[in-house]
Amino acid sequence: MITLAEGLRLPTNGLDYTILAIYFVVVLGIGFAAKRSVKTSLDFFLSGRSLPAWVTGLAFVAANLGATEILGMAANGAQYGAYTVHWYWIGAIPAMVFLGLVMMPFYYGSKVRSVPEFLLHRFGPSSHLLSSVIFAVSSVLIAGVNLYAMAIVLQALLGWPQWVAIVVAGVFVLAYITIGGLSSAIYNEVLQFFVILAALIPLTIVGLKRVGGWDGLTSSLDASHGDAFLTAWKGTGIGEANPLGANWLTIVLGLGFVMSFGYWTTNFAEVQRALSAKNLSAAKRTPLIAAFPKIFIPLVVVVPGLIALVMEPALGKSKDGLQYNDAIPVLMRDLLPNGVLGIAVTGLLAAFMAGMAANVSSFNTVFTNDIWAAYLKKGREDRYYLRTGRVVTAVGVLIGMGTAFIASSFSNIMNYLQTLFSFFNVPLFVVFIIGMFWKRTSAAAGFWGLLTGTLAAMVNYFGLYKQGIIAIPSEQGANFVSSIVAFVVGALVMVLVTLVTKPKPAASLAGLVYGSRSPGMEDLPAEGDDAWYRKPALLGWGALILAAVCYIPFSF
């Protein structure tokens, strides 16, 4: 999955380890500080819905900026070139804007504690239980990827045995989430966001200087990989060959619509941050605020992957040599002096912990509220569910320590994550989008659409692509196709089942379908929320225009 090459050991010293130790102390300090505000299960799972938009916005982007994202997107940059920007400007920003402007009023206004709980109100217990199980499984799978990947990286870079790295990171994540709940996770994610940037920005600047600036980088890659390698759209015509193995149709529909909207609008690890905001206005602005730093993340993630490809031309060429996953570690080894190296290692560790914490906190919320409290132990006092949440957090961390071994066959960790998203998030998005915009959609349609969409993606990937029945040039291309298949099959099944089953009464759909409202949607904005620069529509359209403008340098 993320096996790093030999010879990547970093020349760390006492200064670097001191910086790392200070970070661990601050992380635990935030956990203990947040503990004072945890008195109810709502405090533990959703921070009492009390956090300001700027905090939830930064936590939203940090929860996604795990080390699997950093190492994986740098690997994608080295492997696929500028095509990787599609994951950001078409594969994230439109969906984040849609979440903020269209879907958050329904999520937050209905006062649900989780994404599956929304499905309970819209479709009933069958869809609710199925989606809860899917969320729980996917959360621990992704949490485990972060933890295991971090262990491999620290073993290669610092010489730590894998079990030491797993125990150290797992214990710290377990400690600060168990102590302070979601507030601790979110405030740590804000800290981690700035620590990650402090690690990646110097790496990018020094790397660019080493390869002769942007002009030196582009001329080197044009000579070695052709002039299409640094363009986002060249060679993406249907039937044309390109490193990504995808054409404009699968990029726009598979990545830009199905996978992107499926991930950003239904992934509870992200949506949970917005649900913890202090009011509806702050909840709507959470993904919109996050969209602006997300637009510029390629500068410090994808560009280092390109730099590593120039500095190490053998990257990814041999199974026994340096792999694409080695891009960031190679730059850390070759470019950074002690002190700055300590910040970089801390940033990488912070990224792993942010990614793992986001998924563990979503796992404990969904398992406790949507499985345990809803079906196994109903009607207990609130204090019981608060204790259960803390126990489930520990269980989630322990399970996460072992789940990533499933991904050992993937040489690029983003391929693995995108495969999971095509299986789990896309079918959920189908159910959400049809159920939200078509009042006639029945409860049975939600369940069967979710089930058949998930199975269709798995059949396409394992039964057709992996068996060689259909030829797709790359893993990512296969993921795009699986996503389209999941969406189409799920949608068709939902339409057919709806036509032969009874719809829910219109009175029960208030605040759950487009065109209706719930009392929670009438929340008045807090003082200052109506300022022009906080208008959700302005933020949303501003992010879309800025993302489109960023494409211009990579389109010719």
Side-chain angles (χ1 to χ4, degrees), residues 345-555:
V345 173
T346 302
L348 201 58
L349 186 60
F352 276 117
M353 292 172 67
M356 183 184 181
N359 284 283
V360 169
S361 60
S362 63
F363 169 76
N364 67 23
T365 302
V366 168
F367 187 88
T368 303
N369 291 324
D370 295 293
I371 297 177
W372 193 259
Y375 299 101
L376 300 177
K377 297 290 183 180
K378 299 180 180 180
R380 299 294 184 91
E381 61 180 8
D382 186 75
R383 187 178 301 175
Y384 171 82
Y385 296 119
L386 176 59
R387 289 197 306 269
T388 302
R390 289 194 161 111
V391 172
V392 170
T393 301
V395 173
V397 171
L398 292 174
I399 295 174
M401 289 182 178
T403 54
F405 290 97
I406 299 171
S408 60
S409 62
F410 290 78
S411 62
N412 182 323
I413 53 178
M414 284 309 295
N415 289 342
Y416 171 64
L417 291 175
Q418 297 291 328
T419 301
L420 292 180
F421 298 152
S422 69
F423 291 170
F424 300 132
N425 292 90
V426 172
L428 280 165
F429 173 62
V430 178
V431 174
F432 268 87
I433 204 69
I434 293 180
M436 191 174 286
F437 287 95
W438 189 23
K439 292 182 181 180
R440 174 74 173 79
T441 311
S442 65
F447 174 81
W448 288 109
L450 180 57
L451 181 61
T452 57
T454 301
L455 293 176
M458 292 181 175
V459 168
N460 179 78
Y461 186 83
F462 293 114
L464 300 180
Y465 167 66
K466 282 294 188 181
Q467 300 303 317
I469 297 175
I470 58 174
I472 302 175
S474 69
E475 290 275 358
Q476 291 293 4
N479 292 334
F480 297 164
V481 174
S482 294
S483 298
I484 295 172
V485 169
F487 186 89
V488 171
V489 170
L492 286 175
V493 169
M494 288 188 72
V495 171
L496 293 175
V497 173
T498 294
L499 294 177
V500 298
T501 53
K502 291 184 178 180
K504 293 189 70 174
S508 67
L509 299 179
L512 301 174
V513 296
Y514 196 75
S516 67
R517 301 185 68 82
S518 67
M521 292 183 181
E522 307 296 340
D523 287 352
L524 295 176
E527 184 178 354
D529 282 352
D530 55 354
W532 67 269
Y533 56 87
R534 291 182 177 177
K535 297 287 186 183
L538 177 65
L539 292 172
W541 282 106
L544 288 173
I545 292 170
L546 185 57
V549 169
C550 287
Y551 262 119
I552 294 175
F554 296 95
S555 298

Side-chain angles (χ1 to χ4, degrees), residues 72-87 225 228-232 234 242-246 302 305-306 309 324 411-412 414-415 418 465 473-480:
M73 284 304 177
N76 276 355
Q79 185 173 359
Y80 303 128
Y83 295 103
T84 309
V85 300
H86 291 308
W87 270 271
H225 289 74
F229 195 69
L230 291 178
T231 64
K234 193 170 184 178
N242 60 71
L244 189 58
V302 180
L306 300 174
L309 195 60
Y324 292 119
S411 62
N412 182 323
M414 284 309 295
N415 289 342
Q418 297 291 328
Y465 167 66
S474 69
E475 290 275 358
Q476 291 293 4
N479 292 334
F480 297 164

